[in-house]
Amino acid sequence: MPKRLILLLWSLTVSLYSLGGLVGSLLAGPMAIMVGRKKSLLVNNIFVVAAGTLFAFSHKAGSFEMIMLGRLLIGVSAGVSMNIQPMYLGESAPQELRGAVAMTSAIFASLGIMMGQVVGLREFLGGPQAWPLLLSSCLVPAVLQLASLPLLPESPRFLLIDCGDMPACLVALRRLRGGRDITVELEELVAEQAACQGQRAKRPWELFGEQALRRQVVSLVVLGSAMELCGNDSVYAYASSVFQAAGVPEDKVQYAIIGMGSCELLTAAISCMVIERVGRRVLLMGGYGLMTCWGSIFTAALCLQDSFAWMPYLAMSCVFAFILSFGIGPAGVTGILATELFDQSARPAAYVVCGALLWTMLFVVGLGFPFIMESLSSFLYVPFLVVCVCGAVYTGLFLPETKGKTFLEIAQELHRLNFPQRHRDLAPSWGGLDVVHTTEL
């Protein structure tokens, strides 16, 4: 084939993963409603098994088309699981552990990235003979999930609020909580069911026209976009040249990039442990604030790297610090917003919107970053810094804290924020002495 055609096929093979993720995120909402959270995750393994089989036999068949189709299918699987898994975990976890449990999705995503970097080394499965095994290794977690997930109960919220099955909900709650008293939690579930009575599952486009969901939708769109446009994925793309400029040999750069993946895994784990103590807003504001700080220093280091011999080392340090800051807040907290900010009837649709947004942004950033590098040179991170500042400011001003609150309490607070005038009108009037205003102010 001509070189330009090979380059086109290579680019298409890479980008089909994002396209599959977009398709998967659009499927996730209907699947979660029709077959439930747990069964959706089980059904989702069909895509993984099909993709792994295509990868395994593509080399013998001499078919790059099989790899391309496999990439599309594994993307669909990722789109479904990255939406439904935090939904399932968030709905099944007790109130005091909801954030930490839902954030385990981010921890295992970071673990998967790091494991992929490790086994992709040429010393392991990245060589010319073993790459079909590397691609088809996705079958291992699929088999593990197919063997273990049937042993776990369905989401109690789905069973009671969506299906109206109180006996099944009680069985699921008892299995999840062990010998703990579930009376208070069951009362909260019944109250939430009463609040959702008569409501059907909302469609994704209906979220944008409903005033009662205005604050939630804006928060989801703004912070979801900020997570993808903050420059984290671009740091990975630019890391190789930074490490080489700092004197890291070309054949050792891959190990430094594994170190970056380890940093993200470490901070995701730490964030999971502290989220129920410090809250969601603090982690998001702190993460975006630190990313702004390190990104600014990184930009200065790129501009001055020819003037001072130690500047490349400062730039390399900023890369690691940027990744650490991303893992502290945006990497994990953003993924649980759709679980906590939306009620049972709107939650699947919210995950569809969030997933479609994230995968589209990922595709746009991957497509546009080379042009940003070419046009802005050393100032390539300035647009990302603006996004980080906007993410921190929006979180501080408009995102309500959900730590330690039930889903019903969160819904009531958001209703007050979406209808401030109505709540002011319903507030009790002042019954004391008249207040005399001496000035206009």
Side-chain angles (χ1 to χ4, degrees):
M1 288 184 183
K3 284 187 177 180
R4 291 183 66 84
L5 181 57
I6 292 175
L7 180 62
L8 174 64
L9 289 173
W10 171 260
S11 302
L12 186 59
T13 303
V14 172
S15 60
L16 277 173
Y17 177 74
S18 299
L19 180 61
L22 177 60
V23 173
S25 65
L26 296 175
L27 289 174
M31 285 176 67
I33 295 167
M34 288 189 290
V35 299
R37 283 51 163 162
K38 172 185 162 182
K39 288 181 182 176
S40 294
L41 290 173
L42 288 170
V43 170
N44 186 43
N45 286 294
I46 294 173
F47 300 116
V48 186
V49 171
T53 305
L54 288 168
F55 289 147
F57 293 102
S58 61
H59 187 255
K60 282 192 175 182
S63 170
F64 64 85
E65 294 91 347
M66 292 173 69
I67 298 175
M68 294 172 74
L69 181 57
R71 286 281 294 175
L72 180 67
L73 291 175
I74 206 72
V76 172
S77 169
V80 171
S81 61
M82 288 178 71
N83 280 6
I84 296 181
Q85 186 181 339
M87 192 191 314
Y88 173 60
L89 293 173
E91 290 181 357
S92 302
Q95 173 192 323
E96 66 274 11
L97 294 174
R98 187 176 61 231
V101 171
M103 273 194 69
T104 55
S105 296
I107 293 177
F108 281 97
S110 301
L111 178 63
I113 290 170
M114 194 191 73
M115 288 176 64
Q117 291 168 342
V118 171
V119 298
L121 295 172
R122 289 191 176 274
E123 294 87 341
F124 292 104
L125 296 179
Q129 300 301 321
W131 65 261
L133 287 174
L134 174 63
L135 290 180
S136 59
S137 63
C138 59
L139 289 169
V140 176
V143 170
L144 286 173
Q145 191 179 80
L146 285 170
S148 59
L149 190 57
L151 305 176
L152 302 177
E154 178 58 274
S155 159
R157 272 184 166 74
F158 172 77
L159 291 172
L160 181 62
I161 300 174
D162 291 84
C163 302
D165 193 342
M166 175 62 84
C169 172
L170 282 170
V171 171
L173 262 183
R174 290 194 180 106
R175 286 184 63 190
L176 287 167
R177 305 293 180 259
R180 187 171 131 183
D181 184 24
I182 60 171
T183 306
V184 175
E185 190 170 0
L186 189 61
E187 287 174 357
E188 181 220 325
L189 278 173
V190 171
E192 192 177 345
Q193 182 192 29
C196 296
Q197 196 73 36
Q199 296 183 23
R200 60 169 179 80
K202 291 181 174 60
R203 298 177 176 87
W205 54 87
E206 292 175 345
L207 302 183
F208 295 93
E210 195 163 331
Q211 188 180 353
L213 298 173
R214 182 178 54 198
R215 178 69 65 103
Q216 297 94 304
V217 172
V218 172
S219 298
L220 193 68
V221 171
V222 171
L223 295 175
S225 301
M227 188 182 77
E228 286 300 330
L229 299 178
C230 67
N232 179 69
D233 296 318
S234 307
V235 164
Y236 278 99
Y238 203 66
S240 297
S241 58
V242 172
F243 292 145
Q244 287 176 33
V248 178
E250 190 174 348
D251 60 330
K252 303 296 182 186
V253 167
Q254 55 185 344
Y255 301 107
I257 293 176
I258 291 174
M260 291 171 59
S262 304
C263 287
E264 189 171 336
L265 174 61
L266 173 66
T267 49
I270 293 172
S271 180
C272 180
M273 289 186 283
V274 302
I275 186 172
E276 295 299 345
R277 294 186 179 184
V278 302
R280 285 67 162 155
R281 294 173 76 249
V282 172
L283 289 178
L284 277 175
M285 286 189 293
Y288 281 124
L290 288 171
M291 287 165 73
T292 304
C293 172
W294 296 120
S296 302
I297 299 173
F298 180 63
T299 301
L302 289 180
C303 294
L304 300 172
Q305 62 184 347
D306 295 328
S307 304
F308 301 96
W310 49 271
M311 276 297 169
Y313 299 98
L314 178 61
M316 185 170 69
S317 303
C318 288
V319 166
F320 281 98
F322 194 92
I323 295 294
L324 286 166
S325 304
F326 177 75
I328 286 173
V333 179
T334 309
I336 67 175
L337 291 178
T339 298
E340 296 194 325
L341 296 181
F342 291 84
D343 63 18
Q344 194 75 12
S345 63
R347 194 170 294 131
Y351 268 103
V352 170
V353 172
C354 183
L357 183 73
L358 294 184
W359 287 102
T360 304
M361 292 293 178
L362 183 66
F363 178 78
V364 169
V365 170
L367 195 66
F369 185 68
F371 299 100
I372 295 175
M373 278 183 67
E374 188 177 337
S375 58
L376 296 181
S377 185
S378 298
F379 295 95
L380 78 163
Y381 261 85
V382 172
F384 300 124
L385 295 180
V386 174
V387 172
C388 291
V389 171
C390 291
V393 170
Y394 182 87
T395 302
L397 295 179
F398 301 108
L399 184 69
E401 181 57 76
T402 56
K403 180 189 74 171
K405 297 176 183 175
T406 66
F407 283 116
L408 203 56
E409 289 170 342
I410 295 169
Q412 289 167 351
E413 181 176 355
L414 286 165
H415 191 273
R416 179 180 59 79
L417 293 172
N418 285 321
F419 299 98
Q421 186 60 47
R422 184 183 301 178
H423 284 267
R424 277 196 294 268
D425 294 340
L426 292 175
S429 58
W430 172 248
L433 298 172
D434 290 340
V435 178
V436 179
H437 296 285
T438 56
T439 66
E440 282 288 328
L441 182 62

